[in-house]
Amino acid sequence: MEKACWGDAVSHRPSARDQIISVLSQCLKVIGLYQRGVHNALDLQLNHLELGFSNLPSAFDGFSILQLSDPHFGALAGTTERMLQLVSGLRPDLVVLTGDYRNEDYTNYEYVLPPLQELTATLSSRHGVWAILGNNDCAAMVEPMEDIGIRVLINETGVIEQDGESLYITGVDDVHAFHTEAAPEAMKNAPQGFRIALVHSPELADSAAACGYHLYLTGHTHGGQIALPGGIPVITNIKCPRRYASGLWRHGAMVGYTSSCVGTSVVPLRFNTRGEAVLIRLRCGAP
Ligand SMILES: [Fe+2]
């Protein structure tokens, strides 16, 4: 296992971007749209997804994975409570968290631990909670997250065994901020079998598909967060085609899902998108 090295909190002065956001937020407040955007941002939904795979080991037929991405804790009061309401009572076989627990990359990280702890206490999952880090997170978070019972995958593959059969899950460092060759290497070196990639954003779809991954779970884009009518994203924050920015997609034989995420980024507002938790059920059979 190779752990990437990167720093913790750094000093931050308001940038030109911060000032523009502040002015735009004031304008939205004046015209009465700000509160509507906040309301939309708290209107999270639970989406169910059933995915068929011809090569899924039969022991995993019906295996359920709850994916939560980008909670950006602290960005908008009420988001954590709404997320916990949404998932309480669910009994997934596995929970995967696909990054960005911190709201900004320059803040301390301690404030993300209580909501993560509450989440792990709320969810009853047979195989626990597995996570990767996002571009806003830092290496210093790994140990405290593991102390509260979350398994953090840093360019490594974990295995889940059930009735003598195996499912492999590879988690890698964020592509935008912390990418190293260790990420594609971890994919190349994963054992053969049914394999799922956890990557904070969709840009490694090419590498994962080339390595024979079957499912790629990701987030980061917030589904565009502030989108045009019909949910068409304006800004995606990814360096790959827009078809990977939201929802279900396919790359060769691999299926991918880009979550529209739990939280909000930069501004605590959503228009024409909804935040989500995703409950995925794996099935043996035709895609
Ligand atoms: Fe992100």
Side-chain angles (χ1 to χ4, degrees), residues 155-214:
N155 300 322
E156 60 184 318
T157 300
V159 60
I160 291 177
E161 289 174 338
Q162 203 159 276
D163 299 332
E165 295 187 294
S166 303
L167 181 148
Y168 299 99
I169 300 180
T170 304
V172 301
D173 282 339
D174 171 64
V175 180
H176 291 251
F178 306 113
H179 186 69
T180 66
E181 275 308 300
E185 280 302 310
M187 289 182 173
K188 279 182 208 152
N189 296 332
Q192 291 298 315
F194 191 87
R195 293 185 287 177
I196 299 173
L198 304 181
V199 189
H200 181 61
S201 65
E203 286 92 340
L204 291 187
D206 248 347
S207 308
C211 291
Y213 277 78
H214 300 90

Side-chain angles (χ1 to χ4, degrees), residues 72-147:
H72 285 246
F73 291 120
L76 174 61
T79 306
T80 303
E81 292 75 8
R82 183 69 190 109
M83 175 187 73
L84 293 172
Q85 277 171 8
L86 200 62
V87 302
S88 94
L90 297 179
R91 299 284 178 268
D93 293 302
L94 176 70
V95 179
V96 297
L97 310 178
T98 42
D100 275 4
Y101 318 106
R102 267 200 317 194
N103 184 36
E104 299 279 9
D105 60 6
Y106 55 83
T107 62
N108 289 320
Y109 67 83
E110 286 83 358
Y111 67 92
V112 311
L113 299 173
L116 283 175
Q117 190 154 26
E118 212 172 337
L119 180 66
T120 56
T122 299
L123 287 164
S124 170
S125 164
R126 206 147 53 98
H127 296 283
V129 180
W130 294 25
I132 54 170
L133 301 181
N135 55 297
N136 284 335
D137 301 320
C138 63
M141 294 163 62
V142 174
E143 208 173 309
M145 284 175 69
E146 291 188 331
D147 286 344

